[in-house]
Amino acid sequence: MTNAIDGLVSGLDTTSLINSLMQVEAVPQTLLKAKVSSSQNLISALQGLNTQIAGLADLAGKAAKPAALNLYSATSTSPSVTTAISANASAGQLDVVVGALARSQVGVSAAMTAWPADPAVLTIVSGGVTTEISAASASLDAVATAINAANTGVTATKVASGVDVGGVAQYRLQFTGNDSGAAKAFTVYQGTAAEVTANTAPDLLAATGAAVIRTAQDASVTLWAGTAAAQTITSATNTFSNLLPGVSISVSAASVDPVTIKVVRDDAQIGSLASGLVSSLNGVFALISTKSAVVNSTNASGAAVLSAGVFSGDSSVRDVKQRILTAASAPINGHSPSEYGISITKSGTMEFDAAKFAAALAKDPVTVTAAVQEIATRVAAAAASASDKYDGQITAKITGQQSSVKNLGDRIADWDRSLATRRATLQSTYTALETQLSALKAQSSWLTAQVAGLPTSSTG
């Protein structure tokens, strides 16, 4: 690049002059950069709106599902019987008497200093499965380790048990079933599986000094106790599933008197779902309103400046809002949603009247829940149409703006190259000017010297 001779001869500030000329030359590029900044702000705002509308579509889609409003709650008259609601629950009531709790088996061996035989071989029969186990040695630690590694559903623990007559420390092996229920009962034999089959292996838990501390047991509840229809239900755990449709109960203590389990429609949950849908709608509308507002401010000189929001005048955003608002507020079978406490306000947002909704739901639950699901279905469709990641209306606008920004970036890059060439030309021109002026000045000095050296003549 040619370097400018900055006013060495002419006295001109050629660098400042070139910079000023370049500012004028760069005006079109500056306008392009401003447009890029404006487009990027719009893209960012559109992406935020698209995310919020997609969230609305997801929420409304869930509320629109057939069983979404089949919401029930269950209660129990005893703290020892707790309830859990799952899908497909329905209203109902049931009395149960808790007869027993589920438990796992626990047994201990007789006191010993080491396993009675070496090599140490034992067999555990649990849940109808026979497992032969060989320990690395006759030490009780090795036997317990081998049992625990065998995954039989039984855990072995070495427990101190005093000393024998010779003063040698003794221990017992405690065997604990990992799972509760009668089917998880187990027996521990000293010997191989073949010896168990032949009935020649001794039962360690039946030996002298050994004991079954706790037997394996199912939990049980009795329905309609004290009547001819009384029926006992058992469970390997303390949880009973689907005694009533979609309802599980867990028991923690036996009972003498019947415990009443009652399942009713949960109007509070239904109201919360409807309120959440309205809140999500208003979140979208509030974002659009905020980004569309005209803001009053002042510039550096104190003059008033009006700045329009990024969505101001945007027909696509306005159309999306109107379609979602219509989906939420349009009549349902000739009835306005306002009859159920869901209404449109003068400012173009939605309002939820909890008391009015609760009263309408209590009076006609079928109609009200159907209305909420219809609103949710329409809102889900409108929101999905706007935010779909492939062909949503807002998505398409974002893609279009991103393409525009890319094209503007290419044009700005072209201007960078053009302006660089123009600056180089100006620098070359002014350098040539300074060089020419320098030559002329030198020639002028030479001529002046020549003239001064000419002889003078006089006339008399």
Side-chain angles (χ1 to χ4, degrees):
M1 182 177 72
T2 304
N3 292 320
I5 302 175
D6 201 2
L8 293 177
V9 180
S10 67
L12 295 173
D13 185 355
T14 53
T15 298
S16 297
L17 183 59
I18 291 173
N19 287 339
S20 297
L21 289 172
M22 290 307 300
Q23 287 179 356
V24 175
E25 295 275 358
V27 167
Q29 187 192 49
T30 301
L31 294 175
L32 289 177
K33 289 179 177 179
K35 187 170 181 60
V36 166
S37 178
S38 175
S39 295
Q40 288 174 332
N41 288 338
L42 177 58
I43 289 171
S44 178
L46 287 170
Q47 289 172 331
L49 176 62
N50 213 34
T51 298
Q52 196 151 339
I53 294 177
L56 172 63
D58 182 62
L59 177 65
K62 291 177 180 177
K65 292 180 179 179
L69 296 182
N70 291 336
L71 300 175
Y72 292 86
S73 61
T75 58
S76 164
T77 57
S78 171
S80 64
V81 178
T82 57
T83 60
I85 290 286
S86 59
N88 303 317
S90 59
Q93 182 173 313
L94 186 65
D95 291 340
V96 302
V97 174
V98 182
L101 300 181
R103 62 191 186 189
S104 61
Q105 179 179 334
V106 178
V108 294
S109 70
M112 61 183 80
T113 57
W115 192 251
D118 191 6
V121 178
L122 69 152
T123 300
I124 295 178
V125 179
S126 176
V129 178
T130 299
T131 306
E132 182 178 309
I133 302 169
S134 296
S137 72
S139 77
L140 296 184
D141 287 320
V143 173
T145 298
I147 292 171
N148 295 335
N151 296 319
T152 62
V154 178
T155 298
T157 306
K158 189 179 80 167
V159 181
S161 184
V163 296
D164 62 12
V165 292
V168 179
Q170 290 187 311
Y171 299 90
R172 295 174 184 265
L173 286 180
Q174 176 177 294
F175 302 92
T176 305
N178 297 340
D179 300 309
S180 61
K184 295 301 182 178
F186 61 85
T187 307
V188 182
Y189 296 95
Q190 178 190 334
T192 65
E195 290 171 332
V196 171
T197 302
N199 292 322
T200 59
D203 181 349
L204 282 180
L205 301 183
T208 302
V212 174
I213 306 301
R214 186 177 68 203
T215 59
Q217 176 178 283
D218 286 338
S220 65
V221 295
T222 301
L223 315 182
W224 315 293
T227 71
Q231 178 180 349
T232 298
I233 308 295
T234 61
S235 171
T237 68
N238 287 320
T239 297
F240 295 81
S241 300
N242 294 318
L243 289 182
L244 288 171
V247 180
S248 295
I249 70 167
S250 295
V251 298
S252 58
S255 64
V256 176
D257 297 323
V259 176
T260 300
I261 300 163
K262 190 173 183 179
V263 183
V264 296
R265 188 182 68 247
D266 194 335
D267 289 359
Q269 279 197 70
I270 298 172
S272 178
L273 186 149
S275 175
L277 180 60
V278 172
S279 294
S280 185
L281 281 162
N282 284 335
V284 171
F285 299 150
L287 177 59
I288 293 174
S289 177
T290 300
K291 297 294 185 181
S292 301
V294 176
V295 179
N296 293 315
S297 61
T298 56
N299 58 20
S301 62
V305 177
L306 295 179
S307 303
V310 290
F311 292 160
S312 180
D314 193 307
S315 60
S316 295
V317 173
R318 187 168 57 249
D319 179 60
V320 166
K321 177 184 176 180
Q322 187 57 50
R323 287 193 291 110
I324 293 176
L325 186 61
T326 299
S329 60
I332 304 159
N333 297 325
H335 294 272
S336 169
S338 62
E339 296 180 26
Y340 316 123
I342 301 173
S343 56
I344 187 171
T345 67
K346 292 180 180 179
S347 61
T349 60
M350 300 298 296
E351 185 176 62
F352 181 75
D353 187 328
K356 191 172 184 179
F357 183 86
L361 182 62
K363 181 180 179 180
D364 190 353
V366 174
T367 299
V368 174
T369 54
V372 172
Q373 288 194 305
E374 174 61 22
I375 292 172
T377 299
R378 296 187 313 207
V379 169
S385 174
S387 64
D388 184 84
K389 64 181 180 180
Y390 297 111
D391 56 7
Q393 187 174 355
I394 299 297
T395 304
K397 188 169 183 65
I398 292 171
T399 302
Q401 288 294 318
Q402 289 173 331
S403 177
S404 175
V405 167
K406 183 179 183 301
N407 291 335
L408 289 171
D410 292 341
R411 291 171 62 185
I412 289 171
D414 290 340
W415 268 101
D416 283 337
R417 290 187 288 271
S418 177
L419 291 172
T421 301
R422 179 58 176 157
R423 178 179 287 276
T425 299
L426 288 172
Q427 288 175 335
S428 177
T429 298
Y430 279 101
T431 297
L433 174 62
E434 293 292 336
T435 302
Q436 187 64 31
L437 285 174
S438 178
L440 288 173
K441 186 174 181 180
Q443 186 177 22
S444 174
S445 297
W446 180 80
L447 288 172
T448 299
Q450 291 300 315
V451 169
L454 292 174
T456 60
S457 61
S458 61
T459 57

